[in-house]
Amino acid sequence: MVEESSRSPCRLSPRELAYGGDDKLPPPPAMTEEEEKRLWRKIDWHIMPIITIMYLSSFVDRSNIGNAKLQGLLTQLDLTGNRYNIALVRLGDLSVALVLKKFRPSRWLPGITVLWGITTTLMGLVKNYPQLVGVRTCLGIAEAGLSPGVMFYLSVWYPRHMLHTRMALFWGGATLAGAFSGLLAFVISFMAGTAGLEGWSWIFIIEGMATVVVGIVAFFVLVDFPDTARFLAPEERAFVIHRKKYDCSSVGEDEHFAARHVWEALTDWQVWLLSMINMSVIMPVYGISLFLPSIINGFGFNATISQLLTVPPYVLAAATVVAWGVWSDRIQRRSPFVLCGQLLCLTGFAINISPAPIGVKYFGTFLVVSGGYGAYPAMTAWISNNVAGQYKRGVAIAIQVIFGNSGGAIASNVYRVTDAPRYLLGHGMEIMIVTVGLTLLPIAVLSYWRINARKERRLREVEEKRVKFSPEEVRKLGDRAPEFRYIM
């Protein structure tokens, strides 16, 4: 760490651009490896627990309708035909980079958490199908900013070779939500008849109220960006910003909004290709999270046992998510883990569409849950790693999430009540979309490899000709700059 006498705002050279508020902080100190590890652990303890719990709450509230289905939801609200499937469809997410910069993460993220918690609670009071669809629509709108918001938020704090581990930790909360949903539904089902409400109503009410409490706590716990983090000393803030500034660029990425950032994201080939691959990963996640209780119930188990049998696949998946995240950051690769996840999903769905014994089919659900949930953090880290410029990345993340939610909308409508217990259409559609993703993945990897090789040649040419790019030019080029390397 630096001495007290150095605690004055650092003076940037005329050719050095300010980034992340570093012009108002002291120079970054030199840290030993142990000091740096201690700093990142300190940051993790202030950021990861609360956003993990928030995301766990989010996934419980969006998927608990699958548990409520087994507790009388279908019969009491007369969800015949495809009514149940229509009620599952959620509206898409939005780009929150500008929102987070304007309203601060410590206000925006807890605010929407409280809002969707209230909405989930009200879902327990609906009396008919139109009311259910209306409240579910409001739930989708309220939750829309969380997933892309957290992804963008983490990408501002952590260097890109540390990002997958953190994505895996907070996504692990969503994975555990599957286990918690089954356990909570089992316990809450015994409240059926209390206050004249069915068990499915109490599932929504109790879990929604818990989310409201989480959101209120988050108002007091969640921190904003590194330059204003009061739990860090000024030198520590400077070090974190310094690491981010020179993470993938010699001048730091562009952090000021311009309309061109939206256009650059919309015309970037990798945004659309990775978004389509992401659909092949998240569609299985939505399908299994919304319908796993029904799929297991179709094996011949009663509602209570079906709720409990949803727990083990999610416990295994949570361990897989974290292990793959740590491993991915260690080898600095994302595509191998997406590939493994897709292959596990393909195998699991193939088992379940076949006339295999019940025990084998239940084993197949372990493969689908572990594969889908394990691959998704790799996809979110991949696009965050390879798109430079904070607002361009924010738009790119939003596009990726919208594609993912489109896959979720498809998954919501292909597991029809009339197809129980084998759900041939649902499993068949999942196999098709995963196969598409398996086809697109090597195209993305090969494209990145060729572009990186081309950039290497261009960089050598620039150095040989002694061509100088200004810091402004390098920052404007973003991930198209010769010095930027795509992660594969």
Side-chain angles (χ1 to χ4, degrees):
M1 303 296 288
V2 296
E3 297 179 354
E4 187 70 20
S5 60
S6 66
R7 291 177 180 244
S8 59
C10 61
R11 303 301 178 189
L12 301 174
S13 67
R15 302 299 295 164
E16 188 174 355
L17 299 178
Y19 175 79
D22 60 356
D23 55 334
K24 300 179 179 64
L25 293 169
M31 285 190 177
T32 64
E33 183 178 348
E34 184 57 36
E35 287 175 330
E36 186 174 349
K37 287 181 178 179
R38 195 180 305 123
L39 172 61
W40 290 115
R41 283 196 298 267
K42 181 179 179 181
I43 293 170
D44 287 340
W45 275 110
H46 280 82
I47 291 177
M48 298 310 303
I50 187 61
I51 66 169
T52 299
I53 294 173
M54 290 166 68
Y55 208 74
L56 184 151
S57 301
S58 168
F59 228 80
V60 166
D61 290 342
R62 77 175 67 169
S63 62
N64 55 12
I65 192 170
N67 303 105
K69 177 185 177 184
L70 299 185
Q71 297 299 327
L73 178 71
L74 295 183
T75 54
Q76 188 167 9
L77 298 188
D78 190 29
L79 301 184
T80 57
N82 64 347
R83 285 184 168 189
Y84 174 74
N85 301 86
I86 293 174
L88 296 180
V89 178
R90 296 171 62 250
L91 296 183
D93 295 65
L94 55 134
S95 176
V96 296
L98 185 60
V99 175
L100 287 183
K101 288 283 190 177
K102 181 71 175 178
F103 296 107
R104 300 164 49 193
S106 62
R107 295 295 175 264
W108 171 259
L109 297 177
I112 62 175
T113 302
V114 171
L115 185 59
W116 91 64
I118 294 172
T119 306
T120 301
T121 303
L122 294 175
M123 196 153 55
L125 303 177
V126 300
K127 302 300 181 184
N128 52 52
Y129 168 65
Q131 290 178 3
L132 177 65
V133 172
V135 177
R136 285 286 296 182
T137 300
C138 293
L139 178 66
I141 295 172
E143 283 186 325
L146 182 71
S147 181
V150 170
M151 294 176 198
F152 176 78
Y153 175 69
L154 292 177
S155 73
V156 173
W157 270 95
Y158 293 98
R160 61 181 187 160
H161 293 311
M162 297 173 65
L163 192 58
H164 190 175
T165 300
R166 276 70 188 184
M167 293 280 191
L169 287 173
F170 98 84
W171 181 247
T175 311
L176 287 176
F180 281 127
S181 288
L183 287 174
L184 288 173
F186 170 72
V187 174
I188 296 172
S189 64
F190 292 104
M191 294 183 63
T194 303
L197 297 175
E198 295 290 335
W200 66 265
S201 293
W202 284 113
I203 289 175
F204 293 135
I205 292 170
I206 291 177
E207 294 178 358
M209 291 173 64
T211 298
V212 172
V213 173
V214 170
I216 293 173
V217 172
F219 273 114
F220 301 96
V221 175
L222 191 65
V223 298
D224 290 317
F225 298 114
D227 61 316
T228 59
R230 287 184 290 181
F231 71 93
L232 296 177
E235 295 87 352
E236 292 174 325
R237 298 180 210 168
F239 181 85
V240 173
I241 293 172
H242 180 81
R243 279 293 307 273
K244 276 297 300 176
K245 182 174 184 177
Y246 299 108
D247 182 30
C248 56
S249 170
S250 60
V251 297
E253 65 179 354
D254 200 340
E255 57 179 343
H256 299 290
F257 178 75
R260 65 178 175 82
H261 297 140
V262 178
W263 179 249
E264 287 173 359
L266 292 174
T267 56
D268 194 336
W269 65 271
Q270 63 168 330
V271 172
W272 299 100
L273 182 56
L274 293 185
S275 294
M276 287 187 285
I277 297 173
N278 182 59
M279 181 185 288
S280 75
V281 170
I282 201 64
M283 184 169 161
V285 170
Y286 273 107
I288 207 69
S289 65
L290 293 170
F291 294 98
L292 184 58
S294 299
I295 292 171
I296 294 177
N297 186 239
F299 294 162
F301 300 102
N302 62 34
T304 301
I305 298 301
S306 297
Q307 303 280 23
L308 292 176
L309 287 177
T310 63
V311 176
Y314 284 107
V315 173
L316 175 63
T320 302
V321 166
V322 176
W324 284 10
V326 174
W327 191 4
S328 173
D329 276 345
R330 187 167 296 171
I331 67 173
Q332 300 182 8
R333 290 290 185 273
R334 308 297 181 225
S335 57
F337 301 93
V338 178
L339 175 63
C340 288
Q342 290 173 324
L343 291 175
L344 287 176
C345 287
L346 184 64
T347 305
F349 284 121
I351 290 173
N352 272 275
I353 204 173
S354 72
I358 290 173
V360 178
K361 288 191 173 186
Y362 183 54
F363 170 73
T365 66
F366 281 78
L367 300 182
V368 174
V369 177
S370 296
Y373 279 84
Y376 183 67
M379 284 303 313
T380 58
W382 204 4
I383 198 165
S384 297
N385 289 163
N386 284 351
V387 177
Q390 290 185 2
Y391 288 98
K392 180 184 177 183
R393 184 167 62 248
V395 176
I397 290 172
I399 293 172
Q400 183 187 43
V401 172
I402 289 171
F403 266 75
N405 281 345
S406 299
I410 296 172
S412 299
N413 285 282
V414 295
Y415 284 91
R416 303 175 302 185
V417 177
T418 54
D419 294 332
R422 292 191 62 186
Y423 296 105
L424 296 180
L425 175 63
H427 296 326
M429 287 293 292
E430 297 283 17
I431 290 173
M432 183 191 72
I433 192 67
V434 172
T435 303
V436 171
L438 282 168
T439 304
L440 296 176
L441 184 63
I443 297 175
V445 174
L446 180 61
S447 299
Y448 281 137
W449 180 80
R450 293 182 62 182
I451 293 173
N452 280 346
R454 191 185 310 142
K455 285 187 174 188
E456 191 66 38
R457 292 193 298 270
R458 184 183 176 195
L459 189 61
R460 285 197 298 267
E461 293 172 359
V462 167
E463 291 173 348
E464 290 171 0
K465 296 178 181 179
R466 297 184 179 181
V467 177
K468 294 291 185 180
F469 287 99
S470 70
E472 292 83 0
E473 289 174 324
V474 174
R475 181 172 284 190
K476 187 175 181 179
L477 284 170
D479 51 74
R480 294 173 292 125
E483 63 185 31
F484 187 94
R485 295 294 178 270
Y486 292 114
I487 289 178
M488 293 181 284

